[in-house]
Amino acid sequence: MKNYVSIEYIKNKMEILFESPDKKYLKLVSFLALYLKSLLFIFENPEIDIKEKEIFDEWFEEKGKQYLNDLIEVVQRYGKHVENFDAVIDYYMFYLEDAMENNDSYEIIDWLYEIFKSVKNRLLERINVGKGLDLNEVTKFEFTFQEKLDNINENVFETCEINAGFYLY
């Protein structure tokens, strides 16, 4: 198997996070271990074209690293202010594990592309601003309290529009 950038980068991040005294990182390390397991499944799967594997690795080099670093920064800065932190991470792990159990290569690939960004956004949505969090810190991610409310409302309506038929029956 070719030595992919994404695998080495995630291994290094996991080692650094595992050594941290902050216990919030242990859940993140578990999440990254599952992500790495999923990556290895894809990269070792002979049914997946080598070109597709290389495209994913190029994407990871260009965007995925930054998404991962943003997620780690959110956990570091705001992890203690996130309601149900473990549950948010577990939610994404459940769906990635489900795709792995079903050997659904294409669903796994879809999750691998967007999961870091999705987890970061979900954690930001769940920040409990009532627990002494300085709202000026949140604006670094272009996320004021009002934008947070607008974003949540927008996502609710968007989700309802997309999944309306599913939820009706």
Side-chain angles (χ1 to χ4, degrees):
M1 181 177 85
K2 181 182 170 187
N3 191 14
Y4 291 96
V5 172
S6 50
I7 291 173
E8 293 306 314
Y9 192 81
I10 291 172
K11 282 182 181 177
N12 291 337
K13 285 293 182 182
M14 285 174 57
E15 289 174 16
I16 293 167
L17 293 172
F18 190 72
E19 298 298 322
S20 172
D22 189 343
K23 298 302 175 205
K24 289 280 187 201
Y25 286 132
L26 294 179
K27 182 54 95 172
L28 193 56
V29 169
S30 298
F31 172 67
L32 290 178
L34 179 59
Y35 190 92
L36 185 61
K37 181 180 172 184
S38 301
L39 262 181
L40 291 171
F41 175 81
I42 295 301
F43 287 152
E44 293 174 352
N45 188 336
E47 295 175 10
I48 305 294
D49 185 56
I50 189 75
K51 188 68 178 159
E52 191 164 351
K53 296 172 188 178
E54 290 171 353
I55 289 170
F56 177 84
D57 211 48
E58 288 172 18
W59 169 87
F60 188 86
E61 184 72 29
E62 292 173 15
K63 293 182 181 179
K65 279 183 180 180
Q66 189 57 50
Y67 290 162
L68 174 56
N69 291 332
D70 289 349
L71 173 59
I72 291 169
E73 186 174 349
V74 165
V75 171
Q76 179 183 12
R77 293 179 135 224
Y78 309 120
K80 65 184 175 189
H81 301 287
V82 174
E83 294 177 10
N84 300 321
F85 175 83
D86 288 353
V88 172
I89 304 294
D90 286 340
Y91 172 84
Y92 287 94
M93 288 178 68
F94 171 81
Y95 286 105
L96 191 53
E97 285 173 339
D98 184 59
M100 287 286 296
E101 288 173 9
N102 293 317
N103 292 323
D104 190 340
S105 302
Y106 296 103
E107 185 177 354
I108 293 169
I109 290 170
D110 287 345
W111 277 109
L112 293 179
Y113 274 113
E114 291 298 322
I115 203 164
F116 291 145
K117 188 176 179 181
S118 294
V119 173
K120 178 197 82 165
N121 290 341
R122 180 64 59 93
L123 290 174
L124 284 172
E125 287 174 2
R126 293 194 158 236
I127 292 174
N128 185 344
V129 278
K131 292 192 176 180
L133 178 64
D134 179 6
L135 287 177
N136 293 326
E137 288 181 43
V138 182
T139 58
K140 180 176 185 269
F141 288 96
E142 300 168 17
F143 210 76
T144 65
F145 185 66
Q146 186 58 48
E147 288 171 340
K148 178 180 173 182
L149 291 175
D150 293 344
N151 188 22
I152 291 170
N153 290 335
E154 184 177 306
N155 287 338
V156 167
F157 291 125
E158 186 176 299
T159 302
C160 289
E161 287 174 8
I162 294 168
N163 296 317
F166 174 77
Y167 291 114
L168 288 176
Y169 74 94

